[in-house]
Amino acid sequence: MNNILELKKKLNSAPNKGGGGGGFIPDHSILTSEKVRRLSSEIHSVLDYWQKNKQINGALISVHYPRIMPKSKRLTRILKDSSITPNLSIRGAKFVKDENDKTHHVFTHFVSLSALQSSINELNYLADYLDKYHHEGISGIKQKKIGESGTDNAGISKSALSQLINDCFYVNHFNVELYSGDFEGDSIVTVYRTGVSTDALLSSVGILPHEIQRINDTTLLLTHSQLKLLKQKAPYMISMQVKDLADFSYENQFEFPIEIQTIPEPENEPIIGVIDTPFYEDVYFSKWVDYKSMLSRDIQVDSVDYMHGTAVSSIIVDGCNNNPDLQDGCGRFRVKHFGVCKKGRFSSFSIIKSIREAVSQNPDIKVWNLSLGSLIEISDNYISPEAAELDKLQTEYDVLFIISGTNKPSTNAGNMKIGAPADSLNSIVVNAVTRNGVSASYTRTGPVLSFFNKPDVSYYGGDKDDDKILVCTPTGEARVIGTSFAAPWITRKVAYLIYKMGLTREVAKALIIHTSTSWYGYSSNMSSVGYGIVPKHINDILSTRDDEIRFIIRGETEEYETFAYDIPVPTVDNKYPFIARATLCYFPECSREQGVDYTNTEMDFAFGRVRIASNGKVEVASIDNNTQSDDTFYTYEADARKLYRKWDNIKHKSDIIKKRFTDKKAYGNNPMWGLSIKTKERLSTGRKPKLPFAAVVTLKEMHGRNRHADFAKLCQYHGWHVNELDIQTRLDIHAIGEQQLEFDLS
């Protein structure tokens, strides 16, 4: 077996030298004055509406596009509000499907009334211009010639006129959308961010602000009567609504063969945070658990309410002792257990508040297990409030959540999408499989927001017959099934990687994802198993077969492109006898109010052989043939998302083992492989600096040779600092670091 290598050096960076602007419409496509006048009329209707409804000091206007649109093809001139670009005025984004089941992007903007009037004036000018000079419509070819002799665009610049043409061509229509959804009981409601404060808005419709609980300034807990009042008087203000009293899914297959267990006293083992139902403090491993109830004293807790949380913590503390066939080599962990809800229906709002309190008050805990999940399916158009809060906490506190993928209420429930908070993008979401590697009968599926891969991975969570997981409950041993009992096993592995191996959360997540994948392509049921099943033993995550080389590169993005073009993969006769697979992970900030466009940062990841392109530029020939950042190719946004995971915070690409293998040719006289990350921000032209990332790469020698040492030497020769990740050495360092020193002060 070969150990993992850490390759370290200062990575190169470069700004984006590409030209600005949105280009031109396709050469032979036509924009007519009739369409321009229709769009102008639609904006005029929106303006009329908001001149009569002045509560928000501006206007909410929805823009409908004909397909999933990249940032470069969205509005740049229409709805421009003084110095605020249309991109920065977006308050929501969703997908809708037409009668042909084609997916369309819809964006809701908040702009001033003057911006609407200005847009109307400019569109009327454009329509007159087209009638005068291009009465049959303007094509992309003619658009490129604007400003040449024979045309007169006095009063508006050539670039502004071209932007208007682009905007009108790519937009379907404009309107004001009024919310019509409804739930009985309390709801968590998100209102649009506008020109007035939320308190002023509530007061204007007759709701007393001091009576409202809130997660943040725009996400509120409303009673049914309060929501009804808001819908009657300001239906345009409701962006999202979810039921507050979620039916949390639990697994009830408890059997009780009583057997008393023993366990050593805890020492300085790492601590994992567990957020669950209450913990029963009279079990054999209770000294390993520090329990804190976060339930109100008014809430009555019955004996059954302790079952789930106690069982989950028993796996994290002592799972391998009770399930020797799942021995993972990670040892035992201490737990700080927070009881946040009872079995059955409970307030999502209350749980969100409790989770924030637990994480903020325990910054030393970096790994958290959350095996609670709602029976209600996630929305196609927005992240749940629970998941959004988890993503925000992970950004704020540099922590990592491992979350169960939720279960069907019964095996005959049919296909069900996962429930909150398993739609958390930054977390690792775990589904369950049987001991034979088959999806469990209670499996629920992704994706999230019609696009993001969830669950991330799968692990053994038991199923019917003799495939159950052994846990400890308040009444003794129990055999259980469920994603709740698959997730803690992954939590143990992540805690081992972060606490004992000293790896960052980016590296830990990338390793978990990477080692669940195979050389035979994606699973045909990624929506249920994720990228794959994580190996049982930690050694199979931290080492590879003799014919494989695995290495880690981590860094921070500082400019548009972060790259290394000097990874020296061994050659034979100027050819590479390798295939490769690579995984990139990062933790972007997210914006729930952006709806389906949830992640703020995109890292376009390429890994492969380095070559000189026809234009003389050095580039990486990515192993997945990724061309979305290549100026000579155009990739539709839907394809970029589907094929290259654009805007996803996990990027995985892989060669596939085939029956016949031909060594890959090296390019040029200085053969190298490279890594390139091009960073793009969704909400601004600037970018948050130094966003950490980690890439894990495995090279497989297709002739069975062990070239691990050769690769390490070549890397050192080319200036890389090579650190072999030796498990025992890291454990020794961890043990020394955890020793308590006693000073003799006599």
Side-chain angles (χ1 to χ4, degrees):
M1 299 291 284
N2 291 328
N3 290 330
I4 294 177
L5 300 175
E6 290 181 291
L7 304 187
K8 297 182 179 180
K9 69 159 45 175
K10 174 67 175 177
L11 299 179
N12 299 301
S13 60
N16 186 3
K17 296 181 180 179
F24 305 96
I25 67 175
D27 282 355
H28 299 289
S29 297
I30 300 294
L31 173 68
T32 65
S33 62
E34 286 80 8
K35 181 179 181 181
V36 176
R37 293 191 190 281
R38 174 176 61 80
L39 295 177
S40 175
S41 177
E42 290 173 352
I43 297 177
H44 199 283
S45 296
V46 173
L47 177 61
D48 286 344
Y49 180 90
W50 290 110
Q51 286 175 334
K52 299 172 184 176
N53 298 274
K54 300 180 179 180
Q55 295 97 322
I56 62 173
N57 292 343
L60 288 165
I61 179 171
S62 291
V63 185
H64 297 250
Y65 290 91
R67 62 174 187 267
I68 299 174
M69 298 301 289
K71 182 178 176 181
S72 62
K73 295 293 185 290
R74 299 173 193 169
L75 296 183
T76 57
R77 184 74 186 185
I78 300 175
L79 303 187
K80 187 173 183 180
D81 198 346
S82 184
S83 61
I84 300 174
T85 64
N87 183 59
L88 294 178
S89 66
I90 294 173
R91 296 294 183 266
K94 64 182 179 181
F95 293 142
V96 296
K97 291 192 175 182
D98 61 18
E99 62 277 6
N100 298 317
D101 205 36
K102 183 179 179 181
T103 301
H104 302 259
H105 236 143
V106 179
F107 294 89
T108 299
H109 296 252
F110 175 71
V111 298
S112 67
L113 300 188
S114 62
L116 295 183
Q117 186 61 64
S118 176
S119 297
I120 293 168
N121 295 340
E122 291 193 344
L123 289 179
N124 290 340
Y125 175 90
L126 174 60
D128 291 342
Y129 172 86
L130 295 180
D131 283 340
K132 184 176 181 180
Y133 296 108
H134 307 281
H135 60 274
E136 294 181 353
I138 189 169
S139 67
I141 294 174
K142 293 179 179 179
Q143 181 189 10
K144 296 172 185 176
K145 299 179 180 179
I146 290 176
E148 294 183 359
S149 60
T151 64
D152 177 15
N153 53 302
I156 190 169
S157 69
K158 174 182 174 181
S159 61
L161 192 59
S162 186
Q163 288 173 343
L164 285 173
I165 292 170
N166 289 344
D167 288 355
C168 291
F169 177 80
Y170 289 112
V171 168
N172 265 357
H173 66 92
F174 299 94
N175 70 347
V176 177
E177 297 196 316
L178 305 180
Y179 191 82
S180 60
D182 194 15
F183 288 123
E184 290 295 329
D186 295 350
S187 294
I188 299 175
V189 176
T190 299
V191 296
Y192 287 113
R193 181 165 49 89
T194 64
V196 299
S197 69
T198 302
D199 285 354
L201 168 70
L202 295 173
S203 297
S204 70
V205 300
I207 300 173
L208 298 177
H210 68 272
E211 294 182 350
I212 301 300
Q213 299 183 68
R214 59 193 78 197
I215 296 173
N216 52 50
D217 187 52
T218 58
T219 304
L220 320 168
L221 179 63
L222 299 182
T223 65
H224 184 260
S225 60
Q226 290 169 336
L227 176 60
K228 185 177 180 181
L229 191 59
L230 183 60
K231 283 176 57 181
Q232 287 175 347
K233 296 190 175 182
Y236 46 78
M237 283 302 303
I238 301 174
S239 171
M240 315 170 207
Q241 175 198 7
V242 296
K243 189 176 181 180
D244 178 45
L245 285 177
D247 292 301
F248 288 94
S249 58
Y250 297 94
E251 302 71 21
N252 294 315
Q253 287 77 9
F254 286 99
E255 303 171 5
F256 305 105
I258 304 298
E259 182 176 332
I260 298 175
Q261 297 280 354
T262 60
I263 191 171
E265 295 284 314
E267 295 181 354
N268 290 318
E269 290 84 0
I271 297 175
I272 293 172
V274 171
I275 295 172
D276 216 291
T277 65
F279 175 75
Y280 185 69
E281 296 183 271
D282 194 21
V283 290
Y284 78 95
F285 63 95
S286 60
K287 290 184 179 180
W288 287 74
V289 179
D290 178 11
Y291 174 59
K292 179 179 179 180
S293 174
M294 304 190 79
L295 296 172
S296 168
R297 294 182 180 180
D298 298 332
I299 296 176
Q300 297 295 319
V301 180
D302 299 324
S303 58
V304 69
D305 296 318
Y306 290 94
M307 291 286 190
H308 189 269
T310 305
V312 167
S313 280
S314 76
I315 295 176
I316 290 176
V317 173
D318 202 27
C320 295
N321 186 47
N322 296 322
N323 301 272
D325 65 313
L326 295 179
Q327 174 61 247
D328 57 17
C330 294
R332 293 184 173 95
F333 295 91
R334 291 181 291 161
V335 165
K336 190 160 187 180
H337 188 119
F338 299 86
V340 300
C341 69
K342 295 175 55 176
K343 175 181 171 62
R345 302 184 77 198
F346 209 79
S347 168
S348 300
F349 186 89
S350 173
I351 291 175
I352 292 170
K353 289 287 193 180
S354 295
I355 292 174
R356 171 162 284 278
E357 180 181 342
V359 173
S360 64
Q361 293 182 0
N362 295 272
D364 55 315
I365 299 178
K366 296 300 180 184
V367 181
W368 293 83
N369 187 93
L370 181 55
S371 285
L372 301 174
S374 173
L375 289 177
I376 301 172
E377 295 178 284
I378 57 172
S379 168
D380 287 336
N381 279 317
Y382 51 81
I383 292 288
S384 68
E386 301 95 320
E389 185 69 4
L390 294 180
D391 288 335
K392 187 175 181 181
L393 287 169
Q394 287 173 105
T395 299
E396 290 179 15
Y397 293 98
D398 189 34
V399 298
L400 179 54
F401 274 89
I402 294 82
I403 300 175
S404 60
T406 66
N407 314 309
K408 294 179 184 177
S410 63
T411 55
N412 60 359
N415 292 330
M416 283 187 69
K417 289 183 289 188
I418 58 176
D423 51 336
S424 167
L425 265 279
N426 281 328
S427 303
I428 297 177
V429 177
V430 184
N431 256 12
V433 293
T434 68
R435 297 296 209 282
N436 295 324
V438 178
S439 288
S441 60
Y442 46 83
T443 294
R444 295 168 67 175
T445 63
V448 170
L449 300 181
S450 307
F451 158 68
F452 294 101
N453 280 335
K454 290 291 171 179
D456 295 295
V457 295
S458 289
Y459 202 70
Y460 308 100
D463 209 338
K464 299 171 289 187
D465 303 323
D466 296 325
D467 194 42
K468 297 180 175 67
I469 304 296
L470 188 63
V471 297
C472 177
T473 73
T475 54
E477 291 181 355
R479 297 187 181 277
V480 297
I481 66 173
T483 58
S484 289
F485 310 113
W489 296 100
I490 303 303
T491 304
R492 288 171 51 82
K493 299 179 199 303
V494 171
Y496 188 96
L497 296 173
I498 291 177
Y499 291 133
K500 296 186 178 183
M501 293 293 102
L503 302 175
T504 66
R505 63 174 181 166
E506 290 81 13
V507 173
K509 183 176 180 180
L511 278 171
I512 292 294
I513 301 291
H514 188 81
T515 55
S516 73
T517 63
S518 78
W519 292 111
Y520 297 96
Y522 291 117
S523 168
S524 59
N525 56 341
M526 277 194 71
S527 62
S528 57
V529 301
Y531 284 94
I533 303 170
V534 180
K536 287 184 182 180
H537 205 281
I538 196 67
N539 288 351
D540 294 323
I541 295 175
L542 289 169
S543 58
T544 63
R545 295 166 36 136
D546 288 345
D547 63 348
E548 292 182 345
I549 301 166
R550 181 169 297 154
F551 61 90
I552 299 166
I553 296 178
R554 61 187 177 91
E556 297 176 327
T557 59
E558 297 184 17
E559 298 280 357
Y560 168 69
E561 183 179 16
T562 302
F563 61 95
Y565 292 160
D566 55 350
I567 301 174
V569 177
T571 59
V572 177
D573 297 328
N574 206 37
K575 294 181 180 179
Y576 300 107
F578 292 96
I579 58 174
R581 72 177 193 261
T583 306
L584 177 82
C585 285
Y586 61 102
F587 288 74
E589 290 188 357
C590 302
S591 297
R592 186 170 181 259
E593 72 172 15
Q594 295 291 310
V596 293
D597 287 0
Y598 179 61
T599 51
N600 292 354
T601 305
E602 153 69 357
M603 290 191 186
D604 179 13
F605 174 50
F607 176 80
R609 293 170 288 170
V610 174
R611 66 185 177 194
I612 306 298
S614 58
N615 59 8
K617 293 182 179 180
V618 180
E619 65 179 16
V620 174
S622 188
I623 57 177
D624 65 343
N625 298 312
N626 184 354
T627 59
Q628 60 176 312
S629 292
D630 189 332
D631 294 338
T632 62
F633 290 88
Y634 180 76
T635 305
Y636 285 99
E637 181 76 359
D639 292 335
R641 294 187 181 207
K642 180 180 179 180
L643 299 175
Y644 308 125
R645 310 309 307 161
K646 184 178 181 182
W647 297 110
D648 201 341
N649 55 350
I650 298 170
K651 302 291 195 303
H652 177 76
K653 48 201 65 189
S654 178
D655 287 322
I656 298 175
I657 289 181
K658 299 177 181 178
K659 290 183 179 180
R660 297 183 63 183
F661 172 76
T662 302
D663 292 6
K664 295 181 178 180
K665 181 181 178 180
Y667 295 113
N669 297 322
N670 186 27
M672 289 287 169
W673 285 48
L675 169 150
S676 172
I677 297 171
K678 293 175 181 175
T679 307
K680 307 160 189 176
E681 284 294 315
R682 196 193 297 274
L683 298 181
S684 66
T685 54
R687 180 177 53 81
K688 181 180 178 180
K690 298 186 177 180
L691 182 61
F693 65 85
V696 176
V697 177
T698 300
L699 303 172
K700 183 175 182 63
E701 218 280 359
M702 294 305 295
H703 306 299
R705 296 280 302 275
N706 188 339
R707 300 186 186 275
H708 177 86
D710 294 339
F711 177 72
K713 290 177 183 177
L714 283 170
C715 288
Q716 289 174 330
Y717 178 78
H718 286 277
W720 290 91
H721 176 73
V722 180
N723 181 30
E724 189 156 331
L725 208 164
D726 181 81
I727 298 175
Q728 190 56 52
T729 300
R730 292 291 179 103
L731 290 176
D732 292 343
I733 293 172
H734 171 74
I736 293 172
E738 292 299 313
Q739 288 181 356
Q740 293 184 355
L741 301 179
E742 296 184 4
F743 295 95
D744 185 359
L745 301 178
S746 60

